[in-house]
Amino acid sequence: MTALILHGGAGARRERNYDAEVAHMRQVVEAMRPRLDAGESALDVATAAVVMLEDSGLYVAGKGASPNLAGAYELDASLMDGSTKRAGSVAALQGFRNPVVAARAVMERTPHRLLAGPGAERFARELGFEARELLTPQAQEIYEAWLADASSVGPQNIDPLLEEHHDTVGSLALDADGVLAGACSTSGMRFKTPGRVGDSPIPGHGLWVHPEFGACVATGSGELMMGSSTAFLAVEEMRRGATTAAALRTAIERTAEEQVLGPKDQV
Ligand code: GLY
């Protein structure tokens, strides 16, 4: 048996039409199915799926990512290979087309797990990764609307949907050898403070893969996930014998408790 799970991120709005995203997700699944059937590794397929999501311009990751408060992109991505439990991440990476590919290179070509900021950028440049302007007209329009709101009503009173919307993308794959792998990518919260890093590149918070018991890739406010190690917790519950549904319920409840405790005020 092989399997592939994708997500296009939290922050969906009831009034918005997501037909394009749903159709694109189907295309990704259809593109990845034969690769899994042909025996390709879970890590290759999880990475390739996230590359397609990053390249689509439909999600808040890669092309179409949302800028930070200063109008710049700082992208986070990670992946994890269940066969080795190795992981790689980049954080606050600026100017590259596929942060998830840079994260994979961190895992495979360095002794480290996470490279951030200018060091990550230098690493990606040295490896010849494709630099790209990621700003789409839609992202630019939203950023300008936010700036206009912020200057007319003040940053405390801007439309919370504009402020909080984020669409991290994630994938989990199970290959024909029974190996699990996962990957995720995001520009994080819209209009975040420059330098802010969320859960996605931090092992155990945004992504966790256990070779035998399961895998979890998270989406939502990284500030909450980082208060409860959401992905690790979900997989750990499975390791302790919980069903997938029960494990996810526990992880979500713990993450929601973090919201009740009120980290938002400190963000
Ligand atoms: N979950 C993505 C982020 O908060 O950055």
Side-chain angles (χ1 to χ4, degrees):
M1 185 188 82
T2 60
L4 178 67
I5 295 175
L6 304 176
H7 76 69
R13 297 176 219 173
R14 207 175 283 279
E15 71 281 7
R16 208 188 121 185
N17 181 322
Y18 288 94
D19 288 354
E21 285 83 353
V22 171
H24 181 255
M25 291 253 165
R26 289 215 168 91
Q27 278 173 23
V28 178
V29 171
E30 291 313 324
M32 296 303 135
R33 190 196 308 272
R35 294 174 63 161
L36 281 171
D37 288 349
E40 210 171 316
S41 75
L43 184 66
D44 281 352
V45 170
T47 311
V50 168
V51 166
M52 281 186 78
L53 298 170
E54 286 177 337
D55 281 346
S56 68
L58 291 170
Y59 315 92
V60 184
K63 181 179 165 194
S66 70
N68 67 17
L69 203 51
Y73 288 98
E74 291 183 331
L75 307 178
D76 300 339
S78 71
L79 43 75
M80 191 162 177
D81 180 5
S83 65
T84 57
K85 278 192 92 181
R86 284 193 307 159
S89 308
V90 288
L93 174 68
Q94 292 197 16
F96 287 87
R97 173 178 163 186
N98 293 119
V100 75
V101 177
R104 183 158 177 175
V106 171
M107 180 179 92
E108 291 178 339
R109 302 175 75 157
T110 80
H112 310 301
R113 281 206 164 199
L114 168 61
L115 292 181
E121 195 177 325
R122 185 176 320 131
F123 172 74
R125 205 177 321 110
E126 280 170 7
L127 289 185
F129 288 135
E130 189 181 337
R132 179 176 277 193
E133 173 53 68
L134 299 168
L135 190 66
T136 59
Q138 192 199 17
Q140 176 73 29
E141 201 179 299
I142 293 169
Y143 177 61
E144 281 167 11
W146 183 85
L147 274 186
D149 259 16
S151 53
S152 64
V153 298
Q156 306 310 320
N157 299 313
I158 56 172
D159 178 349
L161 287 177
L162 278 181
E163 185 190 15
E164 291 184 2
H165 187 66
H166 42 72
D167 292 299
T168 303
V169 299
S171 71
L172 298 175
L174 175 69
D175 66 26
D177 292 329
V179 172
L180 280 165
C184 58
S185 181
T186 188
S187 58
M189 273 178 186
R190 280 198 207 286
F191 320 126
K192 62 189 180 184
T193 303
R196 178 266 187 191
V197 170
D199 58 300
S200 299
I202 312 295
H205 297 291
L207 175 67
W208 192 251
V209 178
H210 188 284
E212 291 168 59
F213 295 102
C216 178
V217 61
T219 174
S221 169
E223 277 63 21
L224 302 180
M225 258 85 77
M226 288 192 286
S228 46
S229 305
T230 305
F232 179 78
L233 177 60
V235 175
E236 192 57 13
E237 286 293 305
M238 289 186 242
R239 192 180 70 80
R240 290 160 59 169
T243 61
T244 308
L248 290 178
R249 198 163 33 247
T250 301
I252 290 168
E253 280 170 5
R254 293 271 189 86
T255 306
E257 274 169 25
E258 200 52 38
Q259 190 153 26
V260 174
L261 294 175
K264 191 169 190 310
D265 295 339
Q266 299 154 28
V267 172

